[in-house]
């Protein structure tokens, strides 16, 4: 890694260690590693992509009470370790526009670098790890695991997306949809494999629930 990317990695670790909602530094490292895998088949500006991967959750409004202050910390860190203003703008644009919530009402255009980070982040939301993360997030935020009387919502908006629901409904409302929304062929292939695993899990979960 370059010196400035190493500094960004250390900064992200300080920011995200201690999270128990499925967005801790272990998640960050997996997204970085998945971004590296996608870069091997989709060569773009790797340093920009990996920087955004390290920082993508640092000022997420679902993870901090003061996203503006956290965003300012990120910008300050990037400038201090030598990123140019146009690079900072690029990295922030990726982070601002890559989330599922940001794309609910209008598709956000991402740079090639942003598309890889978005794919990597979405891949870590699905499969076996995705299942564990979904239940971790639900536990932290007080979601019921499942309620057969509560049906998945059809028309999500950014406003209602994070209103308390059930964790199982989250699979239908978001997770099962992600493979079709991937930007790269590699991510679609991996995503569909992970989706099948999740579908088997949800089927078995409901079967056991109804015994």
């Amino acid at each position: 890694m370059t010196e400035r990317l190493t500094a960004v990695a250390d900064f992200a670790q300080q920011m995200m260690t201690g999270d128990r909602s499925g967005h801790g530094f272990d998640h960050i490292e997996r997204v970085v590693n998945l971004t590296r895998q996608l870069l091997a088949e989709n060569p773009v500006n790797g340093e920009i992509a990996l920087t955004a991967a390290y920082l993508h959750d640092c000022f997420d409004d679902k993870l901090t009470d003061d996203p503006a202050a956290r965003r300012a910390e990120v910008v300050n860190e990037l400038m201090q370790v030598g990123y140019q203003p146009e690079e900072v703008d690029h990295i922030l644009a990726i982070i601002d526009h890559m989330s599922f919530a940001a794309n609910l009402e209008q598709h956000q255009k991402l740079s090639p670098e942003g598309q890889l980070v978005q794919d990597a982040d979405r891949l870590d939301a699905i499969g076996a790890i995705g299942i564990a993360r979904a239940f971790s997030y639900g536990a932290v935020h007080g979601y019921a695991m499942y309620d057969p009387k509560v049906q998945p919502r059809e028309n999500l908006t950014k406003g209602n997306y994070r209103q308390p629901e059930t964790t199982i409904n989250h699979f239908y409302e978001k997770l099962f949809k992600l493979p079709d929304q991937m930007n790269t062929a590699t991510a679609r292939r991996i995503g569909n494999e992970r989706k099948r695993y999740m579908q088997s899990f949800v089927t078995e979960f409901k079967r056991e629930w109804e015994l």
Side-chain angles (χ1 to χ4, degrees):
M1 290 197 297
T2 64
E3 286 187 15
R4 59 184 192 172
L5 190 58
T6 299
V8 165
D10 292 341
F11 174 81
Q13 184 170 16
Q14 292 171 17
M15 292 279 265
M16 303 311 298
T17 295
D19 177 89
R20 295 293 180 265
S21 73
H23 298 83
F25 193 65
D26 59 306
H27 161 65
I28 301 299
E29 289 184 301
R30 289 190 301 273
V31 172
V32 168
N33 290 335
L34 286 162
T35 301
R36 290 188 193 281
Q37 291 179 40
L38 295 174
L39 279 165
E41 297 183 19
N42 304 273
V44 294
N45 187 323
E47 190 169 23
I48 292 294
L50 293 170
T51 300
Y54 272 117
L55 299 174
H56 75 277
D57 276 338
C58 284
F59 52 87
D60 190 316
D61 61 6
K62 69 177 177 290
L63 304 175
T64 175
D65 293 331
D66 195 346
R70 293 287 290 265
R71 183 189 184 95
E73 287 184 59
V74 167
V75 171
N76 183 61
E77 173 69 14
L78 290 172
M79 299 296 286
Q80 280 196 345
V81 300
Y83 287 78
Q84 298 303 305
E86 61 272 18
E87 293 178 307
V88 175
D89 288 345
H90 188 177
I91 291 160
L92 294 178
I94 292 171
I95 296 170
D96 287 341
H97 297 113
M98 63 179 273
S99 73
F100 184 77
N103 286 269
L104 276 170
E105 297 171 29
Q106 181 179 347
H107 177 70
Q108 304 291 329
K109 184 174 176 59
L110 287 169
S111 66
E113 291 79 9
Q115 291 177 22
L116 299 194
V117 183
Q118 183 183 64
D119 279 1
D121 188 39
R122 290 180 170 183
L123 283 174
D124 200 55
I126 54 182
I129 295 266
I131 292 168
R133 291 183 64 218
F135 282 96
S136 292
Y137 185 86
V140 167
H141 291 277
Y143 289 20
M145 285 198 300
Y146 179 50
D147 184 343
K149 298 186 292 296
V150 179
Q151 296 301 304
R153 296 166 293 182
E154 295 291 335
N155 298 305
L156 288 177
T157 66
K158 191 172 182 180
N160 68 17
Y161 169 57
R162 290 182 186 148
Q163 291 175 358
E165 259 286 342
T166 74
T167 298
I168 289 297
N169 279 0
H170 186 63
F171 287 82
Y172 294 96
E173 294 172 350
K174 175 184 176 180
L175 305 183
F176 289 156
K177 298 177 180 180
L178 293 181
D180 289 338
Q181 298 177 8
M182 299 295 182
N183 301 292
T184 62
T186 304
R188 282 191 293 275
R189 176 181 56 77
I190 298 171
N192 280 313
E193 292 172 358
R194 295 186 179 194
K195 177 181 176 179
R196 287 191 288 272
Y197 183 86
M198 290 192 303
Q199 288 172 321
S200 296
F201 167 81
V202 170
T203 297
E204 176 63 14
F205 181 100
K206 289 183 174 182
R207 187 190 71 80
E208 294 181 13
W209 187 278
E210 293 164 3
L211 288 177

